[in-house]
């Protein structure tokens, strides 16, 4: 729990008033002076004492005044534990990191497929603050790069650091990558679980788990699969040191397979040949899979008036005792 001021804006009015009171006390206020004819008789006695105690009394009065100003701003205790639980969508990103992901599809931006995939995946993650997300990478093998987590900073760092060659890049074990992502979601208690499968090729045999088997696994665990196919039907571009950028007829994307995977699990297929189309794919998925309960987090507030009024009354009581009974 911590303290907040409900009418904090009043500080801009009350502080100047407090400063004016202090200035008046020191600059303009004059204590009454009494003259006694026989004052010299008492100068050498113990009857005349220093009035330094008045400074302490003034300090008590000033603290009391500050406390009253504080009460006017309405202090409240804030209970941080009383938050609304937001039911998110559990998401696994399965990203193809085979060697062909280094090819370029659009000369106007000259970004490799993997870089397009990474930048748009990071943007998608930023738009899903309440959803646990995990990351799976697959080439000629598949690994779980990050379990489901709400730590978006870690997720963005991991995706930003993905490089071709981290795992065997000589093929595309699409079914195995899907199965690895399914394994990350199968124990999830969320009502909505989705996989976003991003690839630019066809399955490379021999796979440990065939795509049709992975699809049946997804249906068993009620997991929806969205597929994004990267590539240009006219071919991709490579940078030849001698002849510059050259287009090669490299297009191995199995569109029908990706459509079947999405259709059988209740998802949708998208085709992306550049950053704009990739962004549109992610935005469409984001709109289709909105968080079920979208509610602002809130806190419970408890009035702190009684706590502080007792403190102020205690200070006033101490000043009364010192001023009238002791000093």
């Amino acid at each position: 729990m911590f303290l907040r001021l409900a009418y904090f804006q009043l500080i801009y009015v009350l502080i100047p008033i407090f400063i004016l009171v202090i200035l008046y006390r020191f600059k303009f206020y004059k204590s009454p002076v009494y003259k006694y004819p026989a004052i010299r008789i008492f100068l050498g006695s113990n009857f005349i004492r220093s009035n330094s105690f008045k400074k302490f009394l003034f300090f008590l009065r000033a603290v009391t005044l500050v406390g009253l100003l504080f009460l006017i701003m309405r202090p409240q205790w804030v209970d941080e534990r009383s938050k609304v639980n937001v039911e998110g969508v559990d998401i696994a990103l399965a990203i193809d990191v085979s060697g062909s992901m280094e090819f370029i599809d659009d000369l106007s931006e000259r970004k490799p497929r993997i870089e397009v995939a990474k930048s748009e995946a990071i943007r998608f993650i930023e738009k899903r603050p309440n959803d646990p997300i995990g990351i799976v990478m697959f080439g000629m093998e598949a690994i779980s790069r990050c379990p489901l987590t709400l730590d978006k900073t870690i997720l963005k760092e991991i995706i930003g650091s993905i490089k071709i060659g981290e795992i065997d890049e000589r093929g595309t074990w699409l079914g195995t990558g899907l199965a690895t992502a399914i394994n990350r979601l199968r124990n999830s208690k969320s009502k909505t679980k989705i996989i976003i499968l991003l690839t630019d090729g066809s399955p490379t045999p021999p796979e440990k788990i065939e795509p049709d088997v992975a699809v049946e696994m997804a249906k068993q665990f009620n997991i929806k699969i969205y597929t994004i196919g990267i590539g240009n039907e006219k071919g991709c571009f490579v940078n030849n040191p001698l002849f510059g950028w050259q287009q090669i007829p490299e297009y191995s994307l199995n569109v029908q397979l990706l459509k079947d995977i999405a259709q059988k699990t209740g998802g949708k297929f998208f085709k992306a040949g550049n950053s704009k189309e990739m962004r549109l794919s992610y935005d469409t998925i984001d709109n289709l899979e909105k968080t079920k309960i979208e509610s602002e987090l809130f806190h419970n507030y408890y009035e702190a008036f009684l706590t502080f009024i007792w403190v102020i009354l205690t200070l006033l009581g101490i000043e009364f005792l010192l001023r009238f009974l002791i000093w």
Side-chain angles (χ1 to χ4, degrees):
M1 296 182 69
F2 64 93
L3 196 66
R4 71 183 286 268
L5 297 174
Y7 304 141
F8 180 77
Q9 297 84 352
L10 288 177
I11 196 171
Y12 302 109
V13 177
L14 298 178
I15 291 299
I17 293 175
F18 178 75
I19 293 174
L20 289 174
V21 170
I22 297 298
L23 287 176
Y24 171 79
R25 177 64 177 78
F26 282 104
K27 294 292 184 180
F28 304 104
Y29 176 78
K30 293 182 179 180
S31 300
V33 178
Y34 301 96
K35 293 183 178 181
Y36 295 94
I39 190 65
R40 293 183 180 180
I41 300 174
F42 299 97
L43 287 177
S45 68
N46 292 327
F47 289 99
I48 296 180
R49 298 179 182 179
S50 171
N51 62 354
S52 59
F53 65 85
K54 291 183 179 180
K55 296 178 180 178
F56 181 76
L57 294 175
F58 176 77
F59 172 77
L60 284 178
R61 183 66 60 86
V63 171
T64 303
L65 179 59
V66 170
L68 291 173
L69 297 179
F70 184 77
L71 285 181
I72 293 173
M73 290 185 283
R74 193 180 174 186
Q76 295 176 324
W77 298 113
V78 182
D79 183 8
E80 290 183 287
R81 295 170 298 178
S82 55
K83 296 181 180 179
V84 173
N85 292 320
V86 179
E87 183 183 354
V89 178
D90 284 1
I91 304 171
L93 300 179
I95 302 174
D96 187 346
V97 290
S98 59
S100 58
M101 288 290 287
E102 289 187 311
F103 293 156
I104 292 174
D105 292 309
D106 190 347
L107 273 185
S108 64
E109 57 184 7
R110 298 188 181 184
K111 290 176 66 176
R113 294 169 178 172
I114 188 63
E115 293 303 321
V116 173
K118 286 162 57 176
S119 61
E120 294 307 319
I122 289 174
R123 182 175 173 273
F124 175 77
I125 287 171
E126 290 174 342
K127 297 175 68 175
R128 311 291 296 200
N130 298 320
D131 300 313
I133 298 176
I135 302 169
V136 170
M137 296 164 43
F138 64 95
M140 192 62 115
E141 57 182 316
I143 63 169
S144 178
R145 190 68 176 78
C146 180
L148 292 175
T149 179
L150 285 167
D151 192 332
K152 300 305 187 283
T153 301
I154 292 295
L155 286 167
K156 290 189 290 185
E157 287 178 359
I158 289 174
I159 288 182
S161 65
I162 290 176
K163 292 181 176 59
I164 303 298
E166 286 188 67
I167 61 176
D168 194 337
E169 62 190 78
R170 296 172 296 173
T172 305
W173 280 10
L174 190 148
T176 308
L178 261 181
T180 305
I182 292 167
N183 188 52
R184 276 297 174 196
L185 293 174
R186 65 189 180 93
N187 292 324
S188 167
K189 295 181 180 179
S190 175
K191 293 181 180 179
T192 306
K193 296 172 279 190
I194 70 171
I195 293 172
I196 301 177
L197 175 70
L198 190 145
T199 183
D200 69 342
S202 299
T204 304
E207 282 210 69
K208 292 182 179 179
I209 301 175
E210 295 296 325
D212 57 344
V213 176
V215 167
E216 291 303 316
M217 292 170 58
K219 291 166 64 177
Q220 179 183 351
F221 293 109
N222 196 28
I223 298 172
K224 191 184 301 183
I225 302 174
Y226 290 94
T227 55
I228 302 176
I230 311 174
N232 191 328
E233 294 178 0
K234 297 179 181 179
C236 58
F237 295 89
V238 293
N239 192 5
N240 190 309
L242 296 177
F243 304 103
W245 290 100
Q246 290 185 309
Q247 190 172 27
I248 59 174
E250 172 66 33
Y251 184 74
S252 58
L253 187 65
N254 192 332
V255 173
Q256 189 56 51
L257 174 63
L258 297 180
K259 285 183 177 179
D260 289 342
I261 291 173
Q263 187 271 325
K264 290 178 180 178
T265 59
K268 191 174 181 179
F269 166 72
F270 302 90
K271 192 172 177 299
N274 52 44
S275 295
K276 184 177 179 180
E277 293 176 355
M278 179 74 71
R279 178 169 298 187
L280 181 61
S281 302
Y282 273 115
D283 286 347
T284 303
I285 296 171
D286 179 57
N287 290 328
L288 290 172
E289 297 293 341
K290 283 296 183 184
T291 302
K292 288 188 175 294
I293 302 174
E294 295 194 59
S295 177
E296 294 294 328
L297 298 181
F298 74 95
H299 306 293
N300 276 338
Y301 301 115
Y302 304 97
E303 299 298 333
F305 178 86
L306 286 178
T307 302
F308 291 97
I309 196 63
W310 281 114
V311 173
I312 291 172
L313 289 175
T314 301
L315 291 175
L316 284 174
I318 292 173
E319 185 196 356
F320 178 87
L321 290 173
L322 292 175
R323 184 183 295 275
F324 296 106
L325 300 180
I326 299 177
W327 288 332

